[in-house]
Amino acid sequence: MFQFFRKNPGRSESKTGQSGPDHGEEDLSSSLEDNVAAVRRLFADVDILRAKYVDNTHDKGFKCCLLYCDGMVDATMVNESLIKPLMLSRSAAGGNTLDVLMTQVVQVGEGCKSQSLIELAEGIAYGDTALFVEGESQAILFNTKGFQTRAITEPDNEKNLYGPREGFTECLMVNLSMLRRKLLCPDLKLKFLTVGSRTRTKVCVCYMEGIVDRAVLTELYRRLEAIDIDAVLDANYITELIRDKPWSTFRTVGDTERPDTLAAKILEGRVGIILDGTPMALTVPYLFIESFQSAEDYYVNYYYSTFTRWLRMMGFFLTITVPGLYVAIVGFHHEMLPFQLFVNITSERTSVPLPAAVEAFAMILVFDILKEAGARMPSNVGQALSIVGALVIGQAAVEAKLVAAPMIIVVALTGITSMLTPRLSASAIYIRLGLLALASTFGFFGLLVGLSILLIHIINLRSFGVPEVMLTGELRHQDLKDTVMRAPWWQMQLRPEIAADRDRMGNEEDRHE
């Protein structure tokens, strides 16, 4: 844990290479009072800093002081494992006092010596306890963290009917423990970094040795080292700072709140990034097909998983094209409709004052307003608001002849299908409006041009140098078994092409299928 706080003399610099506030690197002296006073100066106006002087009952010449932040430490551990042994031990002093204290006196599992004042201050701020001894120019940081964290619960955004129910929390070490429990082999590597010159946010890079692509890992480290920002409070800070094609609406960095999902992706050759203070873990590289995958796909029958995956793909296509398709048909291509349906739609539209295109833009905007308002309100109020908005406002608009009834159906279908692919919801908003504008201007021709531009953009997406849509030029059976379909496990013998070692369970002959 203490490698988080290593620095070079001079201007403070994080392990990722970014500069931080210049406190002036100081080393400790051999005076206990001078060292305690120096820490107090760094923590000026920080009223939760506590200093506990301890005298040994058997050696009156031994004096020490414990410095920690109230509320950040485990009080029982400080009292029972630090203060009590220091007071009562007969071996508190010796030839090498600090080593004797660490190995024979103090009963805390993790400790580290340091003479850097800034390093000690950062450890104290993060819940460690610093032990200063009279006559020693070094101090010991003991891991006594005891601050409260949220209990492990199932993430609301990734609920499953089957499979594990635990999700990440805001505590880095708790998240790492959940990941380690699922991947017990020593090939799982956990590398710590620090980002944010003021927040000093702890980051853990997780990958599987022998499976990860070293080129992707090297590029990830390079981008993390290039981060120069004072605060990193959430995983999205990292996402925006390391992603490819920063102006694209499509994501190039994956995220998940489930440890089982992160473990599965690491086993497929991806690199996981876990931040302290956020329940969201990131994964790179990201493939476009992941937008239609769900953790539950692998916990239920593969026939049903394949069907639901097809539904998500169809839902994304419908949510971006239905409004534009309806406006193009009504405004330009009446011959595409059966005669009776055309008569019904025309009779509905005769009393509506607005053109179909304006009507569609207005209703989509109203739907997005209701969805955002429902998401920001308390759960019970939000559900009632969504129902009232959908029923009352929609029905009132139709009866007041402001909107045609078919448009309500189009907008409702668009909204429902958008919920099938939550990872693409942000992209779908802009794509839907863009296709609607093209269809309103040029009809089917504009719609097809927009879809063509969208397809070209998706094909050209890259995530850490890896194409998000891998077009190898040949159709191979193994490469299709977890894309548009979910094959049974005994047939998915190879990992995706992003993995350095593709052999999951098959033999050499399976590689050439």
Side-chain angles (χ1 to χ4, degrees):
M1 177 66 68
F2 298 100
Q3 60 263 49
F4 287 147
F5 311 120
R6 298 284 185 255
K7 291 187 178 66
N8 296 322
R11 181 173 173 82
S12 62
E13 184 174 340
S14 72
K15 209 173 171 187
T16 56
Q18 64 195 50
S19 297
D22 189 0
H23 297 292
E25 187 78 10
E26 282 187 60
D27 289 338
L28 300 181
S29 68
S30 58
S31 171
L32 175 62
E33 292 300 330
D34 290 347
N35 293 335
V36 173
V39 175
R40 287 185 182 275
R41 285 195 299 271
L42 287 178
F43 284 87
D45 298 327
V46 180
D47 294 339
I48 63 172
L49 180 68
R50 300 288 183 265
K52 173 65 176 176
Y53 288 90
V54 179
D55 294 331
N56 187 269
T57 58
H58 303 286
D59 185 355
K60 300 301 181 181
F62 176 78
K63 296 185 180 299
C64 64
C65 181
L66 296 170
L67 288 169
Y68 57 90
C69 286
D70 191 16
M72 298 290 292
V73 300
D74 184 339
T76 302
M77 180 184 296
V78 172
N79 292 330
E80 298 296 326
S81 301
L82 287 176
I83 298 177
K84 187 176 180 179
L86 289 172
M87 291 176 59
L88 303 179
S89 175
R90 294 180 178 274
S91 56
N96 194 331
T97 304
L98 296 184
D99 289 338
V100 171
L101 293 175
M102 292 177 63
T103 59
Q104 302 180 26
V105 179
V106 174
Q107 302 172 16
V108 176
E110 186 178 0
C112 176
K113 291 189 294 184
S114 176
Q115 63 179 5
S116 168
L117 185 60
I118 302 301
E119 181 176 342
L120 293 167
E122 288 187 353
I124 294 171
Y126 195 53
D128 297 330
T129 298
L131 172 62
F132 297 86
V133 180
E134 179 65 49
E136 296 290 337
S137 59
Q138 286 184 307
I140 308 175
L141 272 177
F142 290 107
N143 184 359
T144 57
K145 298 176 183 64
F147 42 80
Q148 294 297 315
T149 59
R150 182 169 58 92
I152 297 175
T153 58
E154 184 177 10
D156 292 333
N157 295 329
E158 298 182 67
K159 285 186 177 292
N160 286 341
L161 296 178
Y162 303 93
R165 300 299 178 89
E166 61 184 8
F168 287 130
T169 70
E170 287 74 19
C171 181
L172 175 63
M173 301 311 296
V174 173
N175 295 342
L176 293 179
S177 68
M178 287 190 285
L179 178 63
R180 170 55 78 181
R181 278 179 23 232
K182 297 183 180 298
L183 300 173
L184 299 179
C185 64
D187 290 338
L188 175 64
K189 307 302 180 182
L190 306 174
K191 295 289 187 179
F192 291 107
L193 304 172
T194 304
V195 293
S197 58
R198 293 192 180 276
T199 58
R200 310 295 299 164
T201 306
K202 285 70 184 176
V203 178
C204 183
V205 177
C206 318
Y207 60 93
M208 190 67 68
E209 187 68 39
I211 298 179
V212 69
D213 186 341
R214 303 299 301 190
V216 172
L217 186 62
T218 301
E219 177 65 15
L220 174 61
Y221 280 129
R222 186 191 68 79
R223 296 188 188 185
L224 289 175
E225 290 170 358
I227 292 177
D228 184 10
I229 192 172
D230 63 341
V232 175
L233 303 177
D234 183 74
N236 189 61
Y237 286 61
I238 299 293
T239 299
E240 293 187 7
L241 292 170
I242 68 173
R243 61 169 296 176
D244 300 71
K245 294 187 179 297
W247 297 108
S248 174
T249 61
F250 292 100
R251 63 175 64 198
T252 59
V253 177
D255 58 54
T256 181
E257 294 185 62
R258 301 180 60 93
D260 57 316
T261 300
L262 180 60
K265 292 185 182 299
I266 290 176
L267 286 171
E268 289 189 340
R270 293 171 178 82
V271 183
I273 307 168
I274 305 179
L275 276 73
D276 191 20
T278 176
M280 189 70 68
L282 307 177
T283 59
V284 295
Y286 182 78
L287 302 182
F288 187 73
I289 191 62
E290 294 180 50
S291 302
F292 307 104
Q293 295 175 340
S294 170
E296 198 173 31
D297 289 349
Y298 307 95
Y299 303 141
V300 297
N301 184 274
Y302 54 90
Y303 288 117
Y304 180 73
S305 299
T306 301
F307 176 71
T308 55
R309 192 170 294 180
W310 291 346
L311 286 180
R312 298 184 200 114
M313 295 177 183
M314 182 177 65
F316 175 68
F317 180 77
L318 291 176
T319 193
I320 63 174
T321 59
V322 166
L325 184 63
Y326 172 77
V327 171
I329 291 176
V330 171
F332 296 90
H333 308 284
H334 304 150
E335 69 279 1
M336 299 294 294
L337 293 175
F339 179 75
Q340 187 59 47
L341 179 59
F342 173 71
V343 170
N344 293 339
I345 292 177
T346 303
S347 63
E348 285 287 337
R349 292 202 48 78
T350 53
S351 57
V352 176
L354 298 175
V358 177
E359 194 179 18
F361 276 109
M363 291 306 299
I364 290 175
L365 181 61
V366 169
F367 176 83
D368 288 332
I369 290 174
L370 290 173
K371 184 171 69 171
E372 185 67 16
R376 296 289 173 260
M377 297 295 290
S379 57
N380 294 334
V381 179
Q383 293 175 3
L385 177 64
S386 300
I387 295 173
V388 170
L391 296 179
V392 177
I393 296 179
Q395 184 65 25
V398 172
E399 292 182 356
K401 303 299 183 181
L402 297 176
V403 180
M407 182 58 69
I408 299 295
I409 298 175
V410 168
V411 174
L413 179 62
T414 301
I416 292 173
T417 52
S418 68
M419 299 177 185
L420 291 174
T421 53
R423 290 188 178 92
L424 293 170
S425 58
S427 300
I429 294 174
Y430 295 99
I431 297 170
R432 183 190 306 131
L433 294 176
L435 293 179
L436 178 57
L438 290 172
S440 303
T441 307
F442 304 106
F444 273 164
F445 176 75
L447 187 64
L448 291 177
V449 168
L451 289 174
S452 300
I453 295 173
L454 175 63
L455 182 60
I456 293 172
H457 177 67
I458 292 175
I459 292 176
N460 283 278
L461 286 175
R462 297 289 187 274
S463 177
F464 286 78
V466 177
E468 288 201 16
V469 180
M470 292 189 174
L471 302 175
T472 59
E474 57 179 315
L475 193 63
R476 292 181 292 188
H477 184 46
Q478 282 290 334
D479 293 337
L480 295 176
K481 290 183 177 179
D482 195 22
T483 53
V484 296
M485 58 176 289
R486 205 284 271 180
W489 276 114
W490 66 81
Q491 287 198 355
M492 290 194 291
Q493 298 170 353
L494 298 182
R495 297 185 179 92
E497 290 188 6
I498 59 176
D501 180 9
R502 297 196 62 198
D503 191 3
R504 178 184 279 129
M505 65 176 71
N507 52 41
E508 187 67 23
E509 295 179 356
D510 295 322
R511 298 177 186 271
H512 304 289
E513 287 193 20

